[in-house]
Amino acid sequence: MIIIKGILERLTYQNPDNHYTIAKLRIAKINDPVTIVGHLAGVFEGESLEISGKWITHPKYGDQFKVEIYKVVLPATVSGIRKYLGSGMIKGIGKSLADKIVDYFEENTLDIIENEPDKLKHIHGIGEAKKTLIEQTWNKHHAVRRVMQFLQENGVGVYHAATILQIYGSQTLNILQKNPYAIAKDLPGIGFSLADMIAMNGGVKKDDENRLQACLIHCLLSFEQEGHVYGLKKKLFQFCSRLSGIDPDRFDKALEQLIDSDEVKIETHEDETKIYLSRLYKAESIIASRIKAILSMPVAPLNISKDKILEEVLSKLAIKLSEEQLSVVNNVLLEKIVVITGGPGTGKTTLIRALCEVFKLQNLKVTLSAPTGRAARRLSEVTGEKAFTLHKLLGFDFENQTFERNFANPLELDVFIVDEASMVDTLLMYRLIEAMPVSAVLILVGDTFQLPSVGPGNILSDIIESERIKVFFLTNIFRQAKQSPIIMYAHSIRNGEMPDFQKAGAGELSEFYFIENQTSEKVVETILELCSKRIPKAFPHIDEIQVLTPMHRGEAGTINLNQQLQKVLNQSRGGIESRDIMFKPNDKVMHLKNNYEKDVFNGDIGIVAEVIKTENKILVNYDGRIVEYDILELDELTLAYTISVHKSQGSEYGAVIIALTTAHFPLLQRNLLYTAMTRGKHLVIIVGSSKALKMALNNNKTALRLSGLKQKLMLP
């Protein structure tokens, strides 16, 4: 790393939450100040800094120094201290008083203020009130700095240090010195390694109980991030042993302590010990018990005959239902919980429309919902009924992480229809089922071959496999759907059959193409050409092109593809930068987390309508609705020319381009390819190598997710 020293001349920008800073540093013997960027907490104009990092080149702002480590160098000479105190940065000390203090304490001045502030009262003009003001201002001024210095001295980089500071605030230093392993629970994935580094530097022994407990929690959180609801004891202990360097047998006591403190739960099944984080155990157990409670309730009697209901529904909707669909309509009135599953083109959405009318004829209140904003909007469009995201329906408070609707304050409905149910994870299903009155009917609709939920669990598949609930499998592909190469090839992929791509591209204009490219670089080149020239020319009626890719990193990952597509698709000038992303007018962007105040949700895609640089904010157009973001809120946005396949779940796009290379091999699975293909309405193009395609097609071994819902449902 390169080390530079200088005086902080100007703070151009600083985020008060994560301390991301853009500043000017004056370096001796260099005419112009240099721009420094990074997470610098507790720094002020006029201070001397010693910075370690590297030079980077910004496409618009030129050379910048990216800060990795920094420290404030307090002046040591009398003249330096005099200038420092006289700058006015310490409330209560002006130039005149600064001179008096420095004249009295000389080079010991700063040490006196820091450690023996009562001695300041020796100075004429400083009484108890003035001393207290100086002491408080100094402590506030340096508190953040002490934390950052402590963390950096323990090998924690500025980014993670700023994150830790954001979580714990003024209590950071106290928490880290008392039990650094606390951060293992609050920073899943990285917390344990950081905590371990701090603890080891502080002399904590390898077999310390706090360390072993933290290691267990960390590993369970890692399992959760992989989609598991629990971990098997043997595998968990082995994982912990490799991470900690401690014999697996030494974790039994730590496990008992976590059980005693109610942080984990254990369950024994067929000679296997399952270890749960308590919140996941609670969620899974309540899902099972509530489903059983709902199933035990009587079904409401019919007001009119089923034949009359069916006659009126078909007449009103002017549709013809298949035998499979008719079976659902005839039988759904006899059930408390129903699952409807099937691939594309099997009429799931038509069936939802029909069911809405069926229940309306019974004077029942029907509520439609889906896990994502886009899925909910699509459901509204195709049914003509209002649909909600599950989080909005359940009254989720993002700031406090609480739900308004629960067992004590249930939803007011008679029938609850949840579309794209394969995306619902264990924790969300728990909130859903808890808030549902036991008198209501629950209908889960989804495609089990889609990618599983991002969160832990395998809810839809577990419910189906338990055989506790009535399941309707839709297999008949409608004639209209059979005319779509996209749908037919998707079903081929689902069945493990390689589509005939020569036939696919043989027509004058097809809906499906495979373009052979052997390298990631060529894949990117082809995608750029398709988006900028070929598709707009050949398919002018398609107004939305969405690039999908399995991964974020790499040449054909979302990060690089977004940068490259922005260059060729958006020539607009002027923008605002956040997290190394330049947001410009006309950029395609995606919202990354549910924001109920703005009424935008994770996965919503919009277009940047305007950049107002004078006010450091941008305006985004979401289907005609303008949403404002200031610079502190831009971490909720990212470019969306390319998104991950996982992010595309529950959405449909006019045209879909799928990047598929062997570099993506860790994620090349049949259900991922199937999910990506079924996102396209009018056009699907796979760009990549035949080898990568075959790897995905032949890999039908979806990662086994450890969940206990199926077993819990099967119990009496």
Side-chain angles (χ1 to χ4, degrees), residues 566-632:
Q566 186 188 45
K567 289 177 184 177
V568 300
L569 297 178
N570 189 4
Q571 306 303 315
S572 302
R573 297 192 174 188
I576 296 177
E577 185 182 20
S578 175
R579 311 178 337 274
D580 297 326
I581 300 172
M582 180 61 69
F583 295 99
K584 303 190 297 181
N586 302 315
D587 268 334
K588 186 178 184 180
V589 294
M590 173 182 279
H591 192 85
L592 295 173
K593 59 185 180 183
N594 294 332
N595 188 320
Y596 296 93
E597 186 178 345
K598 295 183 185 294
D599 198 30
V600 285
F601 304 94
N602 186 1
D604 283 354
I605 290 177
I607 302 295
V608 177
E610 187 178 358
V611 174
I612 308 173
K613 295 195 71 173
T614 55
E615 301 177 30
N616 268 335
K617 65 183 182 184
I618 70 172
L619 306 180
V620 179
N621 186 339
Y622 293 100
D623 298 324
R625 190 170 63 87
I626 303 298
V627 177
E628 182 180 300
Y629 296 80
D630 66 37
I631 195 164
L632 302 182

Side-chain angles (χ1 to χ4, degrees), residues 372 423 450-455 548-552 558 590 602-603 643-651 653 667 669 671-672 675-676 679 705:
T372 68
M423 298 174 64
Q450 299 277 1
L451 287 171
S453 59
V454 175
L548 304 179
T549 185
M551 300 180 75
H552 294 292
T558 60
M590 173 182 279
N602 186 1
I643 64 175
S644 69
V645 179
H646 280 85
K647 278 289 186 184
S648 75
Q649 289 186 89
S651 300
Y653 312 95
L667 295 173
Q669 294 178 333
N671 62 342
L672 180 135
T675 300
R679 301 308 93 201
R705 288 192 165 195

Side-chain angles (χ1 to χ4, degrees), residues 328-431:
V328 178
V329 174
N330 278 318
N331 288 282
V332 74
L333 295 170
L334 306 174
E335 305 292 337
K336 289 292 293 180
I337 303 178
V338 168
V339 173
I340 302 169
T341 183
T346 56
K348 295 191 297 295
T349 305
T350 300
L351 191 51
I352 291 174
R353 286 178 61 205
L355 290 173
C356 285
E357 295 300 324
V358 167
F359 289 111
K360 283 181 184 178
L361 286 171
Q362 291 290 101
N363 296 314
L364 299 175
K365 183 181 179 181
V366 182
T367 299
L368 299 181
S369 187
T372 68
R374 281 184 78 100
R377 278 195 296 275
R378 185 163 64 88
L379 186 59
S380 291
E381 290 166 2
V382 296
T383 62
E385 305 286 340
K386 178 71 175 173
F388 306 86
T389 66
L390 284 168
H391 282 86
K392 188 167 187 176
L393 189 68
L394 297 170
F396 181 62
D397 183 335
F398 185 80
E399 186 174 342
N400 298 311
Q401 298 289 297
T402 57
F403 289 81
E404 179 187 350
R405 297 292 188 172
N406 49 42
F407 182 78
N409 182 30
L411 293 164
E412 296 169 4
L413 51 80
D414 300 308
V415 181
F416 194 6
I417 300 178
V418 182
D419 197 18
E420 299 288 354
S422 62
M423 298 174 64
V424 179
D425 64 25
T426 298
L427 294 171
L428 186 54
M429 187 64 185
Y430 154 56
R431 297 297 184 180

